[in-house]
């Protein structure tokens, strides 16, 4: 980034929300909304905002406490990273869903894109691997390439009974024990779990593992700014204090009860009204490789929070916008055709980086070739944002609802803002839909079937259900 573009103050680094392209004046009356519609629904949004703040005062909105109540935890995380970074070559996260997606999003947003590949990209910190699935080929391929004596595992599970995470832990434990002996296993594991309950805390105490705790009032998909995400960040040199500073800055904005000065409140209402107008798919499309995995994190946040069968009164409503991940400019060549000419069922949120850390000039050559010579003298930063503006204009011409979150530059402070902005927006939209945005009964049902089929005590009824459903009509297996 050139010196004249270098931004300094927190206000210079503030995210900006541009909702111009959701209105009928830009995309037409049939698919756009009006300012009057938003004004008419504003009181409902303000009521939702009040409910969120009241719930927070009762200790029910744990994610809102995270920017302020972790001073001692931050000190311990930083000290742990400083102590262990030179002892281990590899740091492996064993987690799934909210125990993995945020870790990856932080790593790819902040660190060198080739962090794991080159020693000079790591500045003395260990390589990071996030093992978030139970595909046997992937697990074995990773372990085959790691030296167990130089590998530290972070096991993340509140309950310590997450089948995917704990099965990987059991394998990793054997992998380490075979190399260093049973008596030294605990030195190669850190447990991130619930402080007062669950199997993992019991295991951690038996094995004398280092422990970090997940607040009981913070669910997995909201936990990136707890030790769940902050430990791997600290172990890879990310400034975790600046992450929380960014979240605290956005929290102050989100607490404002002036509707038009609270972008997360505005956008929660826009998303709600868009859903009511048939825009049942929410696309996040960052024009930045650094933010591509933030979109992956957002998919879980949006889907698991807002996809619900019943409202708070128990009425069956089956609501929830479907989140979709895209990447600009890459997915202009794979998904944009659908967005331009397919069903009018999407609202697209662009993430636009205003100042890239690198401009990178496009060299001039072949000036005599009209279809190529025009590129020379421009930069790749210009090109990717021009691609975004062109896609935005094309969507407007085709009456497709879209909006933009502008990110001044990608760093820890703006990433902390992004995490908090979308978490608060999710809480607002959940209130407007009159659902519990903080549970996941559908996910729990799938977990319970897994427990039953695998023979866990207390879940025999689920195993019987599976047996009864396993009878298939062979004529329908083609």
């Amino acid at each position: 980034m050139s010196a004249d573009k270098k931004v300094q103050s927190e206000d210079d680094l503030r995210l900006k929300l541009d909702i111009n392209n959701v209105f009928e004046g830009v995309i037409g009356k049939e698919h756009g909304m009006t300012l009057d519609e938003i004004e008419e629904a504003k009181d409902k949004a303000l009521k939702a905002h009040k409910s969120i703040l009241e719930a927070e005062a009762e200790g029910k909105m744990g994610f809102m406490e995270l920017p302020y109540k972790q001073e001692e935890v931050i000190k311990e995380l930083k000290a742990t990273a400083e102590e262990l970074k030179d002892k281990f070559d590899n740091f492996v996260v064993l987690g799934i869903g909210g125990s993995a997606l945020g870790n990856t999003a932080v790593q790819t947003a902040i660190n060198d894109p080739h962090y794991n590949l080159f020693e000079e990209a790591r500045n003395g910190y260990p390589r990071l691997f996030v093992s978030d699935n139970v595909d046997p080929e992937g697990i074995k391929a990773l372990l085959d390439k790691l030296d167990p004596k130089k590998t530290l595992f972070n096991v993340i599970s509140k309950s310590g009974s997450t089948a995917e995470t704990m099965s990987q832990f059991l394998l990793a434990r054997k992998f380490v024990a075979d190399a260093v002996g049973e008596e030294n296993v605990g030195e190669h594991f850190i447990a991130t779990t619930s402080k007062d309950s669950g199997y993992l805390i019991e295991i951690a105490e038996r094995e004398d593992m280092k422990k970090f705790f997940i607040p009981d009032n913070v669910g997995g998909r909201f936990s990136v700014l707890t030790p769940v995400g902050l430990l791997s960040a600290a172990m890879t040199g990310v400034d975790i204090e600046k992450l929380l500073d960014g979240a605290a800055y956005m929290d102050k904005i989100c607490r404002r009860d002036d509707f038009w000065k609270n972008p997360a409140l505005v956008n929660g209402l826009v998303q709600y009204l868009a859903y009511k107008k048939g825009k049942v798919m929410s696309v996040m499309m960052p024009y930045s490789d650094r933010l591509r995995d933030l979109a992956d994190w957002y998919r879980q946040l949006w889907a698991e929070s807002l996809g619900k069968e019943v409202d708070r009164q128990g009425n069956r409503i089956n609501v929830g916008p479907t989140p979709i991940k895209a990447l600009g400019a890459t997915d202009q060549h794979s998904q944009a055709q659908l967005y331009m000419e397919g069903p009018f069922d999407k609202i697209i949120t662009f993430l636009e980086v205003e100042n890239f850390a690198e401009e990178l000039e496009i060299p001039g050559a072949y000036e005599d070739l009209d279809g190529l010579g025009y590129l020379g003298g421009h930069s790749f930063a210009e090109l990717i944002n021009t691609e975004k503006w062109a896609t935005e204009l094309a969507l407007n011409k085709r009456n497709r609802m879209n909006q933009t979150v502008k990110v001044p530059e990608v760093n820890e402070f703006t990433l902390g803002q992004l995490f908090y902005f979308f978490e608060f927006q999710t809480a607002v939209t959940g209130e407007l839909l009159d659902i519990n945005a903080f549970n996941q009964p559908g996910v729990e049902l799938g977990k319970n079937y897994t427990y039953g089929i695998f023979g866990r005590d207390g879940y025999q009824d689920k195993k019987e259900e599976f047996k009864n459903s396993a009878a298939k009509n062979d004529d329908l297996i083609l």
Side-chain angles (χ1 to χ4, degrees), residues 460-476:
Q460 291 85 351
D461 59 326
K462 296 294 186 288
K463 187 170 186 175
E464 289 303 313
E465 283 188 57
F466 172 73
K467 286 180 179 178
N468 294 335
S469 71
K472 307 288 185 183
N473 183 342
D474 289 343
D475 293 338
L476 298 179

Side-chain angles (χ1 to χ4, degrees), residues 384-403:
I384 195 167
N385 277 340
T386 299
E387 295 263 15
K388 182 265 176 182
W389 300 328
T391 303
E392 180 183 6
L393 180 58
L395 287 167
N396 291 345
K397 291 292 184 183
R398 286 174 167 80
N399 312 118
R400 310 291 169 145
M401 190 176 286
N402 66 92
Q403 59 180 355

Side-chain angles (χ1 to χ4, degrees), residues 311-428:
D311 63 17
R312 285 200 172 97
Q313 290 72 47
N315 302 307
R316 186 169 179 172
I317 55 173
N318 297 107
V319 297
T322 299
I324 299 171
K325 172 187 178 182
L327 176 67
T330 301
D331 285 321
Q332 290 176 205
H333 299 269
S334 66
Q335 297 182 38
Q337 173 62 34
L338 173 65
Y339 302 162
M340 298 290 179
E341 297 187 2
F344 290 86
D345 58 358
K346 301 170 188 68
I347 176 171
I348 298 168
T349 300
F350 295 113
L351 302 184
E352 177 186 331
V353 177
E354 296 178 305
N355 296 296
F356 286 86
E358 301 289 344
E359 290 283 344
L360 195 60
E361 185 176 344
I362 303 170
Y366 310 108
E367 285 83 358
D368 59 317
L369 301 179
D370 290 342
L372 190 59
Y374 73 97
L375 292 170
H378 293 285
S379 72
F380 281 91
E382 281 182 88
L383 178 58
I384 195 167
N385 277 340
T386 299
E387 295 263 15
K388 182 265 176 182
W389 300 328
T391 303
E392 180 183 6
L393 180 58
L395 287 167
N396 291 345
K397 291 292 184 183
R398 286 174 167 80
N399 312 118
R400 310 291 169 145
M401 190 176 286
N402 66 92
Q403 59 180 355
T404 297
V405 175
K406 294 179 182 288
V407 184
E409 63 182 60
V410 180
N411 58 31
E412 289 95 337
F413 187 80
T414 56
L415 184 62
Q417 286 186 70
L418 284 164
F419 283 135
Y420 197 92
F421 174 84
F422 288 116
E423 287 174 349
F424 199 92
Q425 171 192 299
T426 301
V428 170

Side-chain angles (χ1 to χ4, degrees), residues 27 47 57 84 91 132 176 202 208 218 222 262 303 314 328 357 369 380 386 392 397 423 461:
I27 62 172
K47 183 179 178 182
L84 298 178
F91 185 78
D132 65 346
V176 170
E202 182 178 339
D208 196 25
V218 179
F222 290 86
N262 186 333
L369 301 179
F380 281 91
T386 299
E392 180 183 6
K397 291 292 184 183
E423 287 174 349
D461 59 326

Side-chain angles (χ1 to χ4, degrees), residues 76 80 83-84 186 189-192 204 208-212:
E76 189 178 357
T80 299
E83 175 192 352
L84 298 178
F189 289 88
I190 297 176
T192 303
D208 196 25
M209 296 178 188
K210 179 75 177 175
K211 300 179 287 292
F212 287 99

Side-chain angles (χ1 to χ4, degrees), residues 91-132:
F91 185 78
V92 182
V93 172
L94 303 180
I96 195 166
S99 299
L101 292 168
N103 304 66
T104 302
V106 172
Q107 168 74 354
T108 53
I110 302 304
N111 281 324
D112 189 287
H114 305 292
Y115 177 90
N116 274 2
L117 295 179
F118 303 103
E119 194 170 337
E120 60 267 29
R122 297 198 295 278
N123 296 318
Y125 289 91
R127 294 181 295 176
L128 173 66
F129 300 94
V130 180
S131 187
D132 65 346

Side-chain angles (χ1 to χ4, degrees), residues 39-90:
E39 286 290 345
E40 288 171 9
K42 187 171 69 173
D43 286 345
K44 189 172 183 179
L46 289 169
K47 183 179 178 182
H49 185 257
K50 183 180 179 183
S51 295
I52 291 168
L53 296 183
E54 288 174 349
E56 186 227 0
E58 296 170 4
K60 297 177 181 177
M61 293 284 173
F63 79 93
M64 296 177 67
E65 301 172 2
L66 299 177
Y68 309 107
K69 294 190 175 182
Q70 298 192 93
E71 287 185 11
E72 292 304 314
V73 175
I74 294 301
K75 288 179 184 177
E76 189 178 357
L77 287 165
K78 291 173 67 176
T80 299
E82 191 61 31
E83 175 192 352
L84 298 178
K85 70 183 180 69
D86 296 326
K87 294 182 180 180
F88 295 98
D89 293 338
N90 312 297

